[in-house]
Amino acid sequence: MSHSEQNTAESVTTQTEQGLYVNPQALTAHLPALHYRDGALHMEQVNVDELVKHYDTPCYVYSKQAILAVYQAYTESFASLPHQICYAVKANSNLAVLGILAQAGAGFDIVSRGELMRVLAAGGEASRVVFSGVGKTYSEIEYALTQGIGCFNVESISELTLINDVAKALDKSAPISLRVNPDVDAKTHPYISTGLKDNKFGIAHEDALAVYQQAANLSHIDIVGIDCHIGSQLTEVEPFVAALDKVVELVHSLRDKGIELRHIDLGGGLGVRYIDETPVSIDEFAQALLPKLTELGLTIFFEPGRSIVANAGVLLTRVDVLKPTEHKNFAIVDAAMNDLIRPALYQAEMAVIPSVLPENGLNTDDTQAWDIVGAICETGDFLAKDRLLSLATGDTLAITGAGAYGFTMSSNYNSRPRASEVMVADDRHQLIRKRETFEGLYADEMLWQDK
Ligand SMILES: Cc1ncc(COP(=O)(O)O)c(C=O)c1O
């Protein structure tokens, strides 16, 4: 096919009968970490094919500047109020990522002891950490209290009483906020929507006041805030505003009852542009929320994950096998659903672009529709479907937007060692996680002993 007439201007995508064409140059124009120089894809000043020579594939690569730029955008947009940006560790928990954010002054949002240990190992301060999650265990609470955690975001009455019990046993006072479920539709994928009545998260808005009063009567609980997180990859500001209105209403009711808070935590959830979505910018987000926040006189917390790291990262992968069939063309690459599960789990559409632009230009007639798939024994093992690309075996492809919920959701399914991770800053690159070894995959296992 010829798409010459369809790719006028710099539109990022062109949908044809055969498939979706993602224009690599137009796409990278929206991604500050990436650009093509002389036809070769670079992250910051580093040629990605040079990275492939050094580190092989599959390999996650993150741009230090891109991570810090988004973090700074948050702090600048909310500079008029006291605030704390608690980066959501689950999005990307590599120590190097946590380390640069800790150095920049970030707090952290964690959901397990493992994540707290990572934050501390990376130089973060426990007092700037909020502990979210519906199922904190006795030992996790004990560990967090001992380390001096900033706040527990409490999701149920039973958790509240457990935290009180642990704090009592340690003779400490536990700082808490209640995670309120405002019953607001985040208008995102159902698996990453968390603020509806049907979701397992938080304490129902109508019950919150009573639970706060219960908390106020517990001997070892210190009420410090209120929290809400309605979902992830939100592209509109309205659901955030609707949730904030409900939380503000509660702050006032609490004041009337003599319960004074120190902070309001609005969670994470701001969406990113993966291909051609148009999420609200951090500045627009701030402009919509600030007028309602200013009057409260509280410190504002956010827990952004995806928006800080998604577009700072790519997954580099090599085309191993081209398998055209009568109905479909499959490009089998050396990354798979175990490395990047978002397409299989959420039907997420991620851009796949070549490390080198085709010599004869972008609109070549040898472009065909390919399913980019892994070598795993599952039909759900795909990274992208029906993408118009010009491919040869040995090519390097970059899956963009892979900095968030990429490596952290990866597994060893099919006994595949997980990818290496690399960080780039200006013209420097550094390994920040070694590729796993085959021996390492079973190093903690034991053969059954008959006697
Ligand atoms: C409680 C909580 N806070 C923050 C986040 C981060 O969300 P996002 O990565 O969309 O910013 C999540 C993600 O699911 C979450 O559950």
Side-chain angles (χ1 to χ4, degrees):
M1 67 147 289
S2 163
H3 7 97
S4 43
E5 71 282 7
Q6 286 141 0
N7 285 317
T8 51
E10 282 290 274
S11 62
V12 174
T13 57
T14 308
Q15 184 70 53
T16 73
E17 261 175 41
Q18 288 93 334
L20 182 71
Y21 177 68
V22 178
N23 180 322
Q25 282 172 317
L27 178 88
T28 50
H30 295 282
L31 302 175
L34 293 172
H35 63 276
Y36 285 92
R37 189 194 298 160
D38 301 328
L41 184 63
H42 285 63
M43 180 175 273
E44 300 202 22
Q45 303 311 316
V46 180
N47 182 324
V48 303
D49 274 322
E50 286 299 315
L51 295 175
V52 171
K53 279 188 204 147
H54 265 86
Y55 304 107
D56 206 353
T57 51
C59 175
Y60 276 98
V61 190
Y62 314 120
S63 152
K64 181 181 172 197
Q65 298 314 329
I67 295 171
L68 291 176
V70 184
Y71 173 75
Q72 298 300 351
Y74 270 105
T75 57
E76 281 160 24
S77 299
F78 288 95
S80 60
L81 289 180
H83 64 271
Q84 184 171 314
I85 308 300
C86 297
Y87 165 68
V89 173
K90 63 171 81 69
N92 184 327
S93 59
N94 185 288
L95 285 198
V97 172
L98 303 182
I100 60 166
L101 285 165
Q103 258 185 15
F108 296 91
D109 165 56
I110 58 141
V111 290
S112 67
R113 173 177 176 149
E115 287 191 348
L116 179 52
M117 291 180 73
R118 281 181 172 272
V119 167
L120 299 178
E125 285 169 38
S127 62
R128 294 175 68 74
V129 174
V130 296
F131 196 159
S132 303
V134 290
K136 304 172 192 77
T137 64
Y138 191 105
S139 70
E140 284 184 313
I141 296 166
E142 194 174 41
Y143 178 75
L145 274 174
T146 312
Q147 296 301 318
I149 193 93
C151 182
F152 291 100
N153 290 339
V154 176
E155 304 224 11
S156 63
I157 297 175
S158 62
E159 186 193 331
L160 182 65
T161 45
L162 179 62
I163 293 173
N164 186 59
D165 291 347
V166 182
K168 193 172 176 184
L170 294 174
D171 194 22
K172 287 185 183 292
S173 181
I176 66 111
S177 66
L178 295 190
R179 175 170 176 181
V180 176
N181 182 331
D183 194 26
V184 164
D185 185 356
K187 299 190 187 130
T188 185
H189 190 282
Y191 288 7
I192 47 177
S193 177
T194 57
L196 283 169
K197 269 190 181 140
D198 287 355
N199 303 141
K200 67 180 173 184
F201 302 98
I203 291 168
H205 180 261
E206 57 273 24
D207 299 336
L209 203 53
V211 181
Y212 266 107
Q213 285 177 304
Q214 217 170 315
N217 290 327
L218 292 172
S219 57
H220 289 72
I221 292 290
D222 178 20
I223 298 171
V224 294
I226 190 162
D227 167 50
C228 118
H229 168 81
I230 56 172
S232 198
Q233 185 54 14
L234 275 72
T235 52
E236 298 169 23
V237 80
E238 288 75 19
F240 288 111
V241 175
L244 175 59
D245 284 342
K246 288 200 148 181
V247 176
V248 168
E249 189 191 304
L250 270 172
V251 172
H252 291 307
S253 310
L254 288 167
R255 271 191 188 146
D256 292 344
K257 301 275 178 207
I259 298 176
E260 284 293 336
L261 307 177
R262 280 175 249 157
H263 77 247
I264 176 171
D265 180 344
L266 294 173
L270 202 58
V272 299
R273 178 176 193 137
Y274 281 104
I275 299 183
D276 54 5
E277 301 87 340
T278 46
V280 277
S281 68
I282 294 170
D283 200 42
E284 288 164 336
F285 174 69
Q287 294 316 315
L289 302 185
L290 276 171
K292 292 168 188 280
L293 292 169
T294 308
E295 48 153 305
L296 290 179
L298 299 176
T299 300
I300 318 305
F301 283 23
F302 290 101
E303 303 168 359
R306 186 189 308 270
S307 52
I308 292 191
V309 283
N311 277 328
V314 293
L315 173 60
L316 300 179
T317 185
R318 185 187 60 225
V319 177
D320 279 339
V321 178
L322 291 178
K323 185 176 174 183
T325 73
E326 206 180 316
H327 300 291
K328 278 240 160 206
N329 297 322
F330 296 102
I332 301 158
V333 297
D334 67 355
M337 66 187 288
N338 74 299
D339 297 299
L340 181 63
I341 203 170
R342 296 189 64 256
L345 188 61
Y346 309 129
Q347 296 76 48
E349 297 268 358
M350 303 183 69
V352 182
I353 56 174
S355 67
V356 180
L357 293 176
E359 258 176 33
N360 41 354
L362 287 174
N363 301 318
T364 54
D365 286 337
D366 58 347
T367 300
Q368 294 182 54
W370 294 96
D371 277 13
I372 312 298
V373 301
I376 283 181
C377 308
E378 299 273 345
T379 303
D381 178 23
F382 60 89
L383 299 169
K385 286 192 171 176
D386 298 319
R387 294 300 172 81
L388 295 174
L389 286 160
S390 167
L391 296 182
T393 52
D395 283 358
T396 304
L397 297 174
I399 303 174
T400 62
Y405 306 106
F407 187 90
T408 48
M409 293 182 95
S410 64
S411 76
N412 294 120
Y413 187 41
N414 277 205
S415 285
R416 294 166 56 93
R418 283 182 296 171
S420 55
E421 293 177 285
V422 168
M423 187 169 280
V424 162
D426 199 13
D427 59 356
R428 287 189 50 222
H429 52 87
Q430 188 202 301
L431 187 66
I432 55 171
R433 192 182 209 274
K434 285 187 212 160
R435 181 183 315 288
E436 289 174 340
T437 62
F438 290 102
E439 293 76 10
L441 294 183
Y442 50 84
D444 294 332
E445 298 175 28
M446 297 101 191
L447 287 169
W448 169 255
Q449 305 294 331
D450 269 333
K451 283 197 184 158

